[in-house]
Amino acid sequence: MTSQLPVDDRLASPDADRWRDPGLRPAERADALIPLMSLEEKAAQLVGLWVGADASGEGVAPHQTELVEHIPPWPEAIRYGLGQLTRPFGTAPVDPVLGARSLAASQAQIVAASRFGIPAQVHEECLTGFAAWRATVYPAPLSWGAAFDPELVAEMAGRIGRSLRAAGVHQGLAPVLDVTRDYRWGRTEETIGEDPYLVGTTGAAYVRGLERAGVVATLKHFAGYSASRGGRNLAPVPMGRRELADVILPPFEMALRLGGARSVMHSYAEIDGVPVAADEELLTRVLREQWGFTGILVADYFAVRFLQTLHGVAADAGEAARLALRAGIDVELPTVDAYGPPLVAAVRSGAVDEALVDRAVRRVLIQKIELGLLDDGWQELPADVEELRLDDDASREVALRLARHSVVLLRNRDGLLPLAADQRVALVGPLADDPMAMLGCYSFPLHVGPQYPKHETGVEIPSLREALHRLHPRLTHVPGATITGDDSAGIAAAVAAASDADVCVLAVGDRAGLFGRGTSGEGCDAVDLRLPGVQAELVRAVLATGTPVVLVVLSGRPYALGAAVDDAAAIVQAFFPGQLGGQALAEVLTGEVNPSGRLPVSVPRHTGGLPGTYLSPALGRRTQVSSVDPTPAYPFGHGLSYTTFDWTDATATAGPADPTAEPGGANGAGGAAGEPAGWAVDGEVTVGVTVRNTGSRAGADVVQLYLHDPVAQTTRPVVRLVGYARVPLEAGAAARVTFVVPADVTSFTGLHGRRIVEPGEVQLRLGRSSDEIATTLPLRLVGDEREVGHHRQLVSRVRVEPAAVPAPRSRQ
């Protein structure tokens, strides 16, 4: 693609303005522009620049960081153009309107400084909402998983995307699609859960919402990041290619195919000794050649230089740039470094083929053209910028609804919850009156706010105490302890308060932060799963009072709760439920809201015996050959309600559903008596069940469909999720839930490294959790072993329809 003509001669040719023609396809416009560009101009499109918006509204300034040796001054940095602007809103508190004006002023300077007038693509963090001052803070991703409600996640992402676009941002660095493998990892709070199907379907919904709003969604971290040894951030990943293919990669496939994501961020991980940033097999052959991804691949922050400084596979920045470009990384983030002067020098010396630069810049330009950045009508400043509000009533309503759906009731002995209006309640614990207990580490107040302690938070975040007092005034409050530290002096006061109350609500858990400034979050890994500080001691002391205890856990990971599992009267789990999480928790505790969340991660019984999730083969569970019992206290998918549900008329029939058929039959299988029904290896099976609310109040149940493969050519998880449906029902109402399950979802990586659908007997199990199975439906996959690839069917189709109320049958 590099022309042999001098640049000035190319600009004088009749076709020099062809790249401006909006009638051409984006690829044609990019191909017309690249030969006109100098090496420096092309390299400039492959880097970001970390900036912070000026509170005056007049521009941005480069963000200095110790991880980069030299950041050029602004005029020098934009001399040849600029690929991306990094987090102009997410670096310091700035009024949104003034921030948008500063960004627009910077874009005007970028356009004016370079020959081709190409604006920068602007990206921001958006995992729990637009990571900007005064922007709505939504629940953290573990809460998305707990809600089992992809459509609500898509609605949230749509609101996030519209706020980003209104501020002049083009790309969001979310969602995180890492599948939880070790709860000790600090970034567990950023994951959606421990099951790839739940992660993939929920993550794809987030992508749909963001992309439909016109914002480029960025999938991260591709791949393997969450499987680090010991749960330590950036530690080596001891993982085989089969686990990578069957557990880690499917969510990314779903988000690309079902969500339409246009960007991917690679992970910091090294897998079996190969850093992902230099892994051509994963980033090019799998992602692009096998999966057909055509968007841009961006570097995680500083990761190109890390090939030299941390991994030791490059001698200098130029070699690091060569390895990353060859692997397939198009854009270096967050700021110009290895892809700047070191890359230009390496190309000029012949160490790096300029064709690699052209390949990357072509992808960058195509995406900018698709975003309209190279069109004559593009404007730096949104027309309605004065109306820009990042935290409005509609956004808060969605945040509250998602928080409500995500609260998980783990235990409710003798129906202690909801709290009675006349009960005297003692609210104790270090999380009871801490607004920050509601937020994840990538929320603006915790990600950036600690650097500006004199600046107000920007959004209202009621604590649990504030929210509960509004609904239950008979409340006394004693902290009892801090989140971290070894000071137990306050426990006696907490014990006294609990002893004088009818019920004690004890709030424990995490404080999110970064790199050791919290107990959860990036760089805040845990040695084990004990509650931080003296919180476990506080729990034991309060339980010993004999007062009924409601244990509320606000955390970014599941914790082993010790005696509380058996001795607490009730246990409620929330995973950083966002700025209105305190209200959602108070509503659940008082019965204003019926809890409907389900665990996206198992809650362990013991602090050791790690790592382990529910996705284990038989020998990964309790056995007679090991003294360690990994059985969780509460399994994946578990969650209780204040009402009761009855499931009846479970059926499984080969082929798509017949809407006129009546439920019934011997498991509805349709085979000979006692024989499993046939299921073609390239076909579908339809599973149905009727769910009835048998209680006295409205509620939502979550029907979960699991696959059990008893005999396979490689060991398989005892069960794994292949479908689910959230079913809201009024008291006495019923619904028919139907899953159309393609045989493709039974596929796995076989002995020879190929993904196959293997014939043989399997079971589809309808469960209230991964451990509580209501109905088992035996089936037989029939036909020859079948190889499937990226274009296989990835999910089961689900339909929920009103049903006639069946004869009552109580659930025990």
Side-chain angles (χ1 to χ4, degrees):
M1 192 175 295
T2 304
S3 172
Q4 300 303 308
L5 291 173
V7 170
D8 290 342
D9 290 347
R10 289 175 238 156
L11 290 174
S13 72
D15 293 330
D17 285 335
R18 192 167 184 266
W19 63 274
R20 300 181 185 274
D21 184 355
L24 298 178
R25 291 183 293 108
E28 293 175 316
R29 293 176 66 182
D31 290 341
L33 176 57
I34 293 171
L36 307 178
M37 302 173 75
S38 69
L39 175 59
E40 287 80 4
E41 287 168 329
K42 288 186 287 189
Q45 292 298 316
L46 306 185
V47 297
L49 187 67
W50 200 337
V51 299
D54 191 321
S56 69
E58 296 179 357
V60 298
H63 179 65
Q64 300 297 320
T65 172
E66 61 188 26
L67 293 177
V68 177
E69 295 176 355
H70 172 68
I71 299 177
W74 177 253
E76 181 182 337
I78 65 173
R79 176 183 175 189
Y80 296 109
L82 185 64
Q84 295 223 4
L85 280 170
T86 293
R87 297 176 60 184
F89 291 89
T91 301
V94 60
D95 178 83
V97 173
L98 293 177
R101 289 190 173 280
S102 291
L103 175 57
S106 301
Q107 289 280 39
Q109 293 164 16
I110 293 168
V111 168
S114 59
R115 291 189 305 155
F116 298 103
I118 302 172
Q121 188 163 325
V122 183
H123 76 260
E124 289 284 356
E125 297 285 358
C126 59
L127 189 63
T128 59
F130 187 174
W133 193 52
R134 294 183 176 173
T136 303
V137 183
Y138 294 90
L142 272 182
S143 286
W144 312 352
F148 276 75
D149 194 345
E151 292 310 311
L152 181 53
V153 171
E155 184 179 352
M156 173 194 71
R159 297 209 64 84
I160 295 170
R162 287 189 289 277
S163 69
L164 289 165
R165 288 299 296 124
V169 178
H170 311 104
Q171 180 174 358
L173 301 188
V176 170
L177 298 181
D178 299 298
V179 178
T180 301
R181 302 300 284 162
D182 190 328
Y183 311 132
R184 295 171 296 183
W185 189 46
R187 302 190 80 167
T188 294
E189 65 168 75
E190 298 178 50
T191 72
I192 296 168
E194 67 184 48
D195 180 89
Y197 190 92
L198 178 64
V199 173
T201 50
T202 306
Y206 181 98
V207 170
R208 284 197 301 273
L210 207 66
E211 290 281 356
R212 286 172 181 170
V215 172
V216 175
T218 305
L219 312 182
K220 58 186 194 181
H221 308 87
F222 188 77
Y225 190 23
S226 59
S228 58
R229 185 178 287 125
R232 295 176 57 243
N233 196 37
L234 271 69
V237 174
M239 177 171 55
R241 290 286 164 173
R242 185 169 284 104
E243 181 182 353
L244 178 70
D246 289 350
V247 177
I248 302 299
L249 295 184
F252 292 93
E253 291 186 88
M254 290 186 188
L256 289 172
R257 279 188 47 202
L258 307 180
R262 289 179 284 172
S263 180
V264 172
M265 174 181 280
H266 75 85
S267 93
Y268 288 126
E270 61 167 86
I271 302 175
D272 195 24
V274 179
V276 171
D279 192 342
E280 190 175 5
E281 172 67 25
L282 186 60
L283 300 186
T284 293
R285 280 189 275 279
V286 172
L287 180 63
R288 294 195 182 276
E289 295 174 8
Q290 293 180 21
W291 294 3
F293 176 64
T294 58
I296 61 168
L297 181 60
V298 300
D300 205 342
Y301 284 14
F302 309 108
V304 176
R305 175 70 79 159
F306 285 170
L307 292 173
Q308 174 199 356
T309 59
L310 297 184
H311 294 294
V313 297
D316 53 36
E319 188 173 359
R322 177 182 66 84
L323 291 174
L325 264 181
R326 185 183 66 184
I329 296 174
D330 302 314
V331 179
E332 181 183 29
L333 298 179
T335 206
V336 56
D337 185 23
Y339 276 21
L343 174 59
V344 172
V347 172
R348 296 215 187 282
S349 71
V352 174
D353 187 345
E354 191 171 351
L356 292 176
V357 175
D358 290 345
R359 182 180 71 172
V361 79
R362 183 175 189 267
R363 295 166 181 160
V364 168
L365 292 174
I366 287 173
Q367 186 155 107
K368 287 190 173 187
I369 292 166
E370 291 172 343
L371 290 167
L373 297 183
L374 272 66
D375 292 346
D376 289 338
W378 178 80
Q379 295 182 347
E380 300 95 342
L381 189 67
D384 55 351
V385 67
E386 296 300 330
E387 305 300 319
L388 182 60
R389 300 292 182 271
L390 304 181
D391 182 38
D392 56 22
D393 290 343
S395 298
R396 287 192 294 271
E397 189 278 329
V398 173
L400 177 59
R401 197 157 18 111
L402 182 53
R404 288 167 171 165
H405 287 191
S406 71
V407 175
V408 186
L409 179 62
L410 299 180
R411 177 179 173 88
N412 194 20
R413 187 179 67 202
D414 301 326
L416 177 64
L417 291 178
L419 298 170
D422 61 349
Q423 287 176 318
R424 294 170 299 132
V425 175
L427 176 62
V428 303
L431 281 298
D433 197 25
D434 184 357
M436 296 300 111
M438 304 298 159
L439 309 185
C441 76
Y442 266 78
S443 65
F444 187 89
L446 285 179
H447 200 78
V448 178
Q451 302 170 50
Y452 301 89
K454 296 182 180 179
H455 224 283
E456 64 182 38
T457 304
V459 291
E460 289 189 23
I461 311 169
S463 68
L464 175 58
R465 184 195 64 79
E466 292 172 311
L468 186 57
H469 187 266
R470 295 187 192 120
L471 299 177
H472 196 99
R474 300 194 68 185
L475 187 72
T476 59
H477 168 246
V478 176
T482 56
I483 296 172
T484 57
D486 56 6
D487 184 1
S488 58
I491 292 179
V495 167
S499 298
D500 290 340
D502 297 319
V503 177
C504 178
V505 176
L506 174 53
V508 297
D510 280 319
R511 164 64 73 89
L514 294 170
F515 303 109
R517 295 192 295 272
T519 60
S520 173
E522 186 172 2
C524 298
D525 310 316
V527 174
D528 58 35
L529 296 178
R530 292 179 177 88
L531 285 166
V534 297
Q535 293 184 78
E537 181 182 348
L538 173 65
V539 171
R540 289 192 297 269
V542 172
L543 287 172
T545 65
T547 300
V549 173
V550 179
L551 186 65
V552 176
V553 185
L554 277 157
S555 64
R557 63 167 63 86
Y559 280 104
L561 302 175
V565 169
D566 299 312
D567 296 343
I571 304 176
V572 175
Q573 173 72 61
F575 296 106
F576 295 146
Q579 73 181 68
L580 293 173
Q583 178 179 337
L585 276 166
E587 290 171 338
V588 167
L589 292 173
T590 58
E592 294 285 323
V593 167
N594 194 349
S596 58
R598 300 294 186 268
L599 284 175
V601 286
S602 306
V603 172
R605 181 170 289 273
H606 305 294
T607 62
L610 300 169
T613 71
Y614 99 99
L615 282 180
S616 296
L619 287 174
R621 298 194 171 197
R622 183 180 182 180
T623 70
Q624 295 180 340
V625 297
S626 173
S627 59
V628 176
D629 181 1
T631 304
Y634 299 104
F636 173 87
H638 173 75
L640 304 177
S641 172
Y642 294 151
T643 189
T644 55
F645 298 95
D646 188 31
W647 296 7
T648 59
D649 297 317
T651 62
T653 56
D658 179 357
T660 65
E662 292 293 328
N667 283 339
E675 290 294 322
W679 181 7
V681 294
D682 59 353
E684 296 176 330
V685 66
T686 299
V687 173
V689 66
T690 298
V691 180
R692 180 187 175 219
N693 183 344
T694 56
S696 59
R697 61 177 296 170
D701 206 359
V702 177
V703 179
Q704 300 159 48
L705 185 66
Y706 293 91
L707 172 72
H708 172 62
D709 190 347
V711 179
Q713 60 184 256
T714 66
T715 61
R716 306 296 302 135
V718 175
V719 292
R720 64 180 176 92
L721 191 70
V722 294
Y724 60 89
R726 181 183 174 86
V727 187
L729 291 170
E730 295 296 322
R736 185 71 179 172
V737 180
T738 303
F739 300 93
V740 179
V741 188
D744 288 6
V745 302
T746 72
S747 66
F748 62 94
T749 303
L751 283 174
H752 302 293
R754 297 176 291 106
R755 177 173 287 278
I756 59 169
V757 176
E758 185 180 36
E761 293 190 9
V762 296
Q763 295 174 358
L764 289 176
R765 298 177 175 181
L766 290 161
R768 296 183 172 92
S769 74
S770 58
D771 193 53
E772 186 183 355
I773 302 301
T775 301
T776 296
L777 302 167
L779 297 157
R780 181 188 295 276
L781 285 160
V782 294
D784 296 331
E785 180 177 293
R786 174 170 162 259
E787 182 175 351
V788 295
H790 174 61
H791 296 290
R792 68 191 184 280
Q793 295 187 67
L794 297 172
V795 298
S796 301
R797 303 190 300 279
V798 184
R799 186 170 68 248
V800 179
E801 299 174 306
V805 177
R809 191 174 73 191
S810 63
R811 172 186 170 186
Q812 300 298 318

